[in-house]
Amino acid sequence: MNCVVFAIRGSQTFLDWAVNLNSAPVSPSDFLDDPGNLCHSGFLYVARKMIKPVAQRLRSLLEEDPNRSTCSLVMTGHSAGGAVASLLYAHMLAQNTRSELNILTGCFKRIHCITFGTPPISLLPLTKPTTPRYKKSLFLSFINEGDPVPRADKAYVRSLLHLYASPAPGENGAVTLPALKLCKGRPKPKRSASAPVVQSKDWIWEVPPGTLSNAGRLVVLRGKGKGVEVAAGAEEDVKADITCDQELRGVVFGDPVMHMMKIYARRMEVLATRAVTGRAWD
């Protein structure tokens, strides 16, 4: 597939992190179709500022080679870069707003957005329009299981820090973290009538409700290794599962190692290789 890839970098400087922490929801009026779907103010501010330079760059690419109009445009980014890419993608597909950027939407065959380890962005999940024109447009957000950034709402971060600082339970108990459920219904294994029912003494860590939602179709990447093993490149098996924002809100992801861009890149390479060779996850 012929593509023009527009990648937006994630946080690198102190000012970048200042933008990340400026999460008070504000209206995306004149930027998105739904002005009531309040967005992370820091990410929205950056996305608005990027309209002009992104439009200029895309126009120059089309002027250099008019045949690029037959290509698909892929907006992408990691971490905060993924959040800004998602907002720009939603802006390009907006029906009721006009800017020097979204008038270029029709200059490309299709517009896609693929992000990695992206934090929550808006009150309601950003999705692509349901019109037939965008039926083949992809809006995917890949999330490593354990990566805390896609759950990085303020209340969640405070809860996670409290969890890190909390003493371990007694000898007879352990903190139980809620498991991620899949949105696609799957048959549950039936319990044998003779199987004993184990009474758990574990402590349950309650996850606070989040304010903002994740954008796009959420794909959770799961491996068999632990954080240190994954970072060292020892992982070979990776599985991709579809989930949704509602289910993601109920889990605790707290391994910063899983946010590393190199882990996302390696896992995507594994999945791409398996897709080509037709190998299943063992």
Side-chain angles (χ1 to χ4, degrees):
M1 180 174 65
N2 294 325
C3 295
V4 173
V5 179
F6 205 102
I8 300 173
R9 70 169 176 82
S11 303
Q12 290 185 332
T13 67
F14 175 79
L15 290 177
D16 292 336
W17 282 105
V19 168
N20 297 351
L21 296 174
N22 185 20
S23 61
V26 295
S27 173
S29 57
D30 299 323
F31 188 84
L32 300 180
D33 283 339
D34 183 4
N37 188 14
L38 306 186
C39 298
H40 185 292
S41 57
F43 298 146
L44 182 60
Y45 172 81
V46 174
R48 288 183 185 274
K49 289 292 185 181
M50 291 190 69
I51 286 179
K52 184 174 182 178
V54 172
Q56 290 177 341
R57 180 56 180 158
L58 292 179
R59 277 199 303 269
S60 67
L61 289 173
L62 291 169
E63 290 170 358
E64 290 172 5
D65 184 0
N67 289 328
R68 287 186 173 130
S69 61
T70 63
C71 298
S72 292
L73 173 64
V74 180
M75 308 292 291
T76 188
H78 171 258
S79 194
V84 175
S86 298
L87 285 167
L88 289 173
Y89 169 80
H91 174 70
M92 291 193 74
L93 269 57
Q95 305 295 305
N96 302 320
T97 62
R98 284 292 176 267
S99 73
E100 57 188 303
L101 177 58
N102 64 11
I103 61 174
L104 298 176
T105 300
C107 296
F108 294 93
K109 183 178 180 180
R110 295 189 184 93
I111 311 289
H112 306 295
C113 183
I114 302 174
T115 64
F116 307 90
T118 300
I121 300 173
S122 53
L123 293 184
L124 300 175
L126 296 179
T127 59
K128 67 178 183 179
T130 56
T131 56
R133 177 184 178 186
Y134 300 116
K135 182 178 181 180
K136 294 185 178 181
S137 178
L138 301 177
F139 191 6
L140 302 176
S141 179
F142 289 92
I143 299 169
N144 277 334
E145 187 173 40
D147 183 351
V149 172
R151 294 283 291 113
D153 200 289
K154 278 189 175 180
Y156 175 81
V157 172
R158 285 195 293 267
S159 175
L160 187 61
L161 293 175
H162 183 51
L163 175 59
Y164 286 151
S166 297
E171 296 180 357
N172 297 326
V175 174
T176 297
L177 304 181
L180 178 67
K181 299 177 182 178
L182 305 181
C183 284
K184 289 185 177 180
R186 292 187 178 181
K188 297 181 178 180
K190 295 182 179 179
R191 182 185 297 274
S192 170
S194 59
V197 178
V198 179
Q199 298 295 332
S200 174
K201 298 180 180 179
D202 293 351
W203 297 83
I204 305 297
W205 190 266
E206 296 293 339
V207 182
T211 302
L212 301 178
S213 303
N214 295 81
R217 192 177 191 190
L218 308 184
V219 184
V220 175
L221 303 179
R222 289 169 156 165
K224 293 186 177 180
K226 296 183 178 180
V228 177
E229 298 171 346
V230 175
E235 182 182 56
E236 294 183 358
D237 292 324
V238 180
K239 185 179 181 182
D241 285 320
I242 300 293
T243 189
C244 57
D245 181 77
Q246 181 180 359
E247 296 296 347
L248 195 64
R249 287 172 179 265
V251 301
V252 176
F253 285 171
D255 186 353
V257 172
M258 301 308 295
H259 186 61
M260 296 172 66
M261 189 160 53
K262 69 177 184 180
I263 294 179
Y264 278 101
R266 186 167 60 243
R267 285 184 160 184
M268 295 306 296
E269 185 177 356
V270 170
L271 289 174
T273 301
R274 289 181 177 275
V276 171
T277 59
R279 294 175 58 196
W281 195 55
D282 298 329

